Amino acid sequence: MKTLWQHCHVASMAHGQYSIIEDAAIVTEGAHISWIGTRTEMPPQGDVQTVDLNGMWVTPGLIDCHTHTVFGGNRSGEFEQRLQGVSYAEIAAAGGGIASTVRATRAASEDQLYTSAERRLKHLLKDGVTTVEIKSGYGLDLENERKMLRVARRLGEHLPVTVRATCLAAHALPPEYKDRADDYINHICGEMLPALAAEGLVDAVDAFCEYLAFSTDQVEQVFITAGQLGLPVKLHAEQLSSLHGSSLAARYQALSADHLEFMTEEDAIAMGAAGTVAVLLPGAFYFLRETQLPPMDALRKHGVNIAIATDLNPGTSPGLSLRLMLNMACTLFRMTPEEALAGATIHAAKALGMAETHGSLEVGKVADFVAWNIERPADLAYWLGGDLEKRVVRHGIESTF
Ligand code: NIG
Ligand code: FE
């Protein structure tokens, strides 16, 4: 089935730029784009179904490349504690934080996790997201990490969204391994990752490199195992302190290093040379009331591609709108609306290893796009949330919500 989408303007994001096409036409054949350009230059298309987009602005479908959408319970009580002055690290040290979500996630059935995650994911989809990455990391044993990853897979089967599942078993130390971090890392590398990978549940491997989580040596072991299993890696790095996890990630050709507020210029040089994407998470920066900004100038100077994501999670970023994160990236991190949109499209695709097929509107790419009733592309980073009028097309078919 061939469809012509016309009477629209396009911000194609080809080469990471808006790349504006006014009075554009897009032709899709099945799930792919077969032609895109100025309408008056379009060659005859033969038998085609035509959709009039009434002057809307078309962008690639938004890609949320870092989320923890699947979890049990929530932590609004800890939010209140932090407002009283207790820090994230103090809450974690007292057995709250990630550990409390681990207890709630282990206690939840797969169906319960599915139901609550689906509710959250629908918020993202209503906001124009067509691809999402979902991490495990609140199970921290084989059975419960498997449960989370299975929920991630099911979400992709039942909702109009492409899901990439990332195993984040090295997120925190489970209680049964208290004071035995090296043993837990050995368990991840020897048992958990091989089993979960063999079950086809893992698209990438992530870890939390931080003084209150895992050291660079421990993360390196996880990366080596991922490499042996043929899986790409990513890393939570330099969120609260500088351990140079982002340089380690670059050394292992990681798809991305994420957070990065405390990274150094040397880290940026390493990431730029390796093509490792910097995934910035302004929701977590905001929600934790951080003050150390990621080094934007160093990232730009050394040619590091910058992506923006929600980090949707119960502890540090209960963010249900990727567009709101675009605004925060501009307001808090001084990105331009153009950089922010590239960060939620083409650079986010690269952070998931999908840039060949997703993230920009070009011939041969997957026909995932959103037609927005806005005046200019910058409006996407301008409005603070809300439900913008839009039409969402995934794999060449319009989604209905
Ligand atoms: O991306 N940094 C570590 N992981 C999450 C937070 C998880 C939590 O507090 O539940 C993050 O911010
Ligand atoms: Fe995260």
Side-chain angles (χ1 to χ4, degrees):
M1 165 63 86
K2 208 168 174 184
T3 307
L4 163 63
W5 310 79
Q6 63 177 3
H7 294 142
C8 57
H9 311 296
V10 169
S12 76
M13 305 317 290
H15 318 294
Q17 311 292 322
Y18 274 167
S19 305
I20 299 297
I21 311 169
E22 302 222 8
D23 193 7
I26 303 170
V27 181
T28 57
E29 275 188 62
H32 293 86
I33 297 171
S34 59
W35 194 86
I36 180 165
T38 306
R39 185 173 56 94
T40 51
E41 292 171 3
M42 184 180 63
Q45 292 296 324
D47 192 15
V48 72
Q49 164 196 330
T50 302
V51 180
D52 191 326
L53 291 173
N54 289 317
M56 287 173 131
W57 271 94
V58 176
T59 68
L62 302 187
I63 298 176
D64 195 348
C65 65
H66 179 143
T67 87
H68 309 249
T69 304
V70 177
F71 56 83
N74 87 33
R75 309 227 297 271
S76 61
E78 289 182 8
F79 172 56
E80 290 180 293
Q81 274 182 285
R82 284 196 301 100
L83 292 174
Q84 300 298 322
V86 190
S87 75
Y88 181 65
E90 284 165 345
I91 290 171
I98 294 173
S100 78
T101 300
V102 171
R103 287 190 289 276
T105 303
R106 287 180 172 184
S109 70
E110 189 174 311
D111 285 345
Q112 286 169 331
L113 288 180
Y114 180 88
T115 302
S116 68
E118 181 185 57
R119 207 179 309 130
R120 293 186 279 272
L121 186 52
K122 280 184 173 169
H123 284 274
L124 296 180
L125 302 200
K126 281 191 179 141
D127 203 36
V129 168
T130 53
T131 298
V132 68
E133 185 253 19
I134 299 178
K135 300 175 195 294
S136 65
Y138 293 120
L140 307 186
D141 61 23
L142 179 56
E143 177 194 339
N144 287 292
E145 288 289 296
R146 177 189 286 128
K147 182 171 71 177
M148 293 186 71
L149 292 165
R150 282 170 52 95
V151 171
R153 284 277 184 257
R154 274 174 65 191
L155 290 164
E157 286 156 17
H158 289 99
L159 295 178
V161 63
T162 302
V163 173
R164 280 287 186 268
T166 298
C167 182
L168 177 58
H171 193 196
L173 202 55
E176 53 281 14
Y177 279 89
K178 190 171 184 304
D179 299 324
R180 293 190 298 130
D182 286 338
D183 290 348
Y184 181 54
I185 293 291
N186 286 337
H187 177 55
I188 291 174
C189 295
E191 267 102 355
M192 291 169 77
L193 279 178
L196 296 168
E199 291 169 36
L201 291 170
V202 184
D203 299 317
V205 174
D206 195 352
F208 187 16
C209 187
E210 193 53 71
Y211 69 89
L212 49 70
F214 297 100
S215 69
T216 47
D217 284 352
Q218 291 163 337
V219 169
E220 188 162 9
Q221 264 201 69
V222 174
F223 281 1
I224 289 169
T225 301
Q228 287 163 350
L229 294 168
L231 294 169
V233 296
K234 310 167 76 66
L235 191 63
H236 285 70
E238 297 17 299
Q239 182 186 8
L240 307 168
S241 63
S242 171
L243 299 185
H244 303 292
S246 43
S247 286
L248 172 72
R251 232 176 16 260
Y252 281 82
Q253 307 289 317
L255 293 173
S256 71
D258 304 33
H259 286 288
L260 303 176
E261 282 85 344
F262 286 84
M263 76 186 292
T264 63
E265 181 153 11
E266 284 65 40
D267 296 325
I269 291 169
M271 286 177 64
T276 295
V277 176
V279 178
L280 302 185
L281 304 166
F285 174 90
Y286 163 82
F287 199 69
L288 292 178
R289 296 199 294 181
E290 297 288 350
T291 52
Q292 169 93 16
L293 288 162
M296 303 306 300
D297 291 344
L299 291 171
R300 291 185 183 110
K301 180 170 155 202
H302 298 294
V304 183
N305 290 149
I306 301 171
I308 302 297
T310 60
D311 195 13
L312 169 54
N313 79 69
T316 66
S317 189
L320 297 172
S321 164
L322 183 53
R323 264 188 325 99
L324 177 59
M325 301 304 146
L326 300 190
N327 177 277
M328 288 187 180
C330 297
T331 310
L332 301 173
F333 296 167
R334 299 284 184 269
M335 289 176 70
T336 64
E338 185 164 330
E339 286 177 316
L341 188 57
T345 54
I346 187 65
H347 295 160
K350 192 174 172 196
L352 297 180
M354 301 171 80
E356 295 297 311
T357 50
H358 292 71
S360 65
L361 301 177
E362 298 174 73
V363 171
K365 283 203 163 183
V366 172
D368 285 1
F369 54 85
V370 184
W372 308 86
N373 191 6
I374 54 175
E375 288 171 30
R376 314 168 55 231
D379 290 2
L380 297 177
Y382 165 68
W383 296 109
L384 294 170
D387 183 11
L388 296 188
E389 195 184 315
K390 73 183 77 62
R391 296 174 72 165
V392 179
V393 174
R394 180 169 168 272
H395 292 180
I397 296 167
E398 187 159 0
S399 305
T400 44
F401 295 102

